[in-house]
Amino acid sequence: MRVIAQTLQSLPQVLVDGVTLGAVYATVALGYTMVYGILELINFAHGEIFMSGAFIGTAILLVLNGAGWLAHLPKLLVLLLTMLVAMALTGLLGMGIERVAYRPLRNAPRLIPLISAIGVSFVLQDVVRFIAEWRTGNYIVTGVTLYGSEVNFGSVTVKSNALFVLGAAVVMMAGLDLFVRKTKWGTAMRAVAQDKDTAALMSINVNRVIALTFFMGSALGGATGVLFAQQYGTIDPYIGFILGLKAFTAAVLGGIGNIRGAMFGGFVIGILEMFASAELGPLTGGVLGAEYKDVFAFLILIAVLLFKPEGLFGQAVKEKV
């Protein structure tokens, strides 16, 4: 009974932390689900694009801080400009990857572009590691935190950064959902997702739509990388690997190719992971610790693939992008 009482007492804090982490997973999962919806390709390099955004944002803040400008500029303005720069650069990076590594393999068997994606993932890790070690002497980098204070709501403590992470993630997800459903380009993306050949016959520039999809998915990943670096402080070139796999799990859970499903899956994975991190030890009497939290995401992935491979929203929503 004592364990249950402790679990219920800490549950609000777990939910807040889980929703914050889930917002990161959900936004990164959008990149996986958008590319899969268009090309039926699992872009395993997307986690490294997220990581690149984290390093770009951290580098900008370190440069501004080193020049002494950070103390004289509004923090919110700095954060927004940093995210915009990271979004632009990672968006262009995503377009470049599509043009160089995926487009020439578009008609190849599905395994070939998958291997290409894994190769791009390793290349990005090593390039970022080389640059980080060259500039700082260490590939593990601790950045500048703009909002380090904490806000207390009763027994729940929330970092100021978490509020920005959650707010920005919600705005980006809602903006993408509106873009896909309400704009001409969004309609073109859905048309290409359903049938590329027919879309081309309807005068839709398929290559341009695919490039735009990569740009938007990568830009969202890059912006989320900036927010992740602000929330957790220390980053390294390998943060995108496990986080990317969890975001991919979130996309599969919601129904890969379905934007709202990816959002839902991200929040579910984030909440379950934080619950496992906080409560697994007490609930098992110390047999299992917080280090087993990652197992939850992959158990969910296996269960979804076994019992509902189309995902929870795979049949509920018709459009794939």
Side-chain angles (χ1 to χ4, degrees), residues 32 35 41-49 97 101-102 105 110-125 214 241:
Y32 286 99
V35 170
L41 163 70
I42 301 172
N43 181 18
F44 278 118
H46 189 63
E48 276 58 48
I49 293 174
I97 291 171
Y102 300 151
L105 305 174
R110 291 186 180 182
L111 183 61
I112 305 302
L114 186 66
I115 294 172
S116 180
I118 294 172
V120 171
S121 170
F122 284 119
V123 168
L124 287 177
Q125 286 179 6
F214 270 85
F241 182 70

Side-chain angles (χ1 to χ4, degrees), residues 152-171:
N152 293 315
F153 298 96
S155 61
V156 178
T157 300
V158 182
K159 291 182 180 179
S160 299
N161 275 323
L163 299 176
F164 284 98
V165 170
L166 190 57
V170 169
V171 169

Side-chain angles (χ1 to χ4, degrees), residues 61-83:
L61 294 177
L62 287 175
V63 169
L64 290 177
N65 192 45
W69 295 350
L70 204 56
H72 304 290
L73 294 172
K75 293 181 179 178
L76 183 59
L77 177 64
V78 171
L79 180 60
L80 291 176
L81 290 177
T82 302
M83 289 178 63

Side-chain angles (χ1 to χ4, degrees), residues 72-250:
H72 304 290
L73 294 172
K75 293 181 179 178
L76 183 59
L77 177 64
V78 171
L79 180 60
L80 291 176
L81 290 177
T82 302
M83 289 178 63
L84 288 175
V85 173
M87 290 175 75
L89 293 179
T90 52
L92 293 174
L93 176 63
M95 289 177 65
I97 291 171
E98 187 275 332
R99 184 66 184 87
V100 173
Y102 300 151
R103 189 178 300 183
L105 305 174
R106 197 173 291 170
N107 297 318
R110 291 186 180 182
L111 183 61
I112 305 302
L114 186 66
I115 294 172
S116 180
I118 294 172
V120 171
S121 170
F122 284 119
V123 168
L124 287 177
Q125 286 179 6
D126 285 341
V127 167
V128 171
R129 174 170 179 154
F130 172 78
I131 296 174
E133 287 185 326
W134 174 43
R135 298 299 299 176
T136 67
N138 193 342
Y139 68 87
I140 301 174
V141 178
T142 300
V144 178
T145 301
L146 293 175
Y147 295 93
S149 60
E150 295 181 343
V151 182
N152 293 315
F153 298 96
S155 61
V156 178
T157 300
V158 182
K159 291 182 180 179
S160 299
N161 275 323
L163 299 176
F164 284 98
V165 170
L166 190 57
V170 169
V171 169
M172 288 190 290
M173 289 186 285
L176 177 65
D177 191 66
L178 286 175
F179 178 86
V180 171
R181 293 177 180 278
K182 302 293 184 182
T183 68
K184 180 179 177 181
W185 279 103
T187 303
M189 290 167 69
R190 285 186 283 137
V192 172
Q194 290 182 0
D195 191 326
K196 287 192 281 295
D197 296 331
T198 304
L201 291 174
M202 301 298 289
S203 302
I204 294 175
N205 189 326
V206 174
N207 285 332
R208 189 173 295 177
V209 170
I210 291 174
L212 176 65
T213 303
F214 270 85
F215 180 87
M216 294 186 66
S218 301
L220 290 176
T224 311
V226 175
L227 296 172
F228 179 90
Q230 282 295 299
Q231 173 70 4
Y232 298 103
T234 300
I235 57 175
D236 64 66
Y238 308 106
I239 58 172
F241 182 70
I242 292 296
L243 190 142
L245 288 179
K246 292 177 182 175
F248 170 68
T249 303

Side-chain angles (χ1 to χ4, degrees), residues 249 252-253 299-312:
T249 303
V252 173
L253 174 62
L299 285 177
I300 291 172
L301 176 62
I302 293 171
V304 170
L305 291 176
L306 285 176
F307 298 107
K308 196 169 175 57
E310 71 275 17
L312 298 178

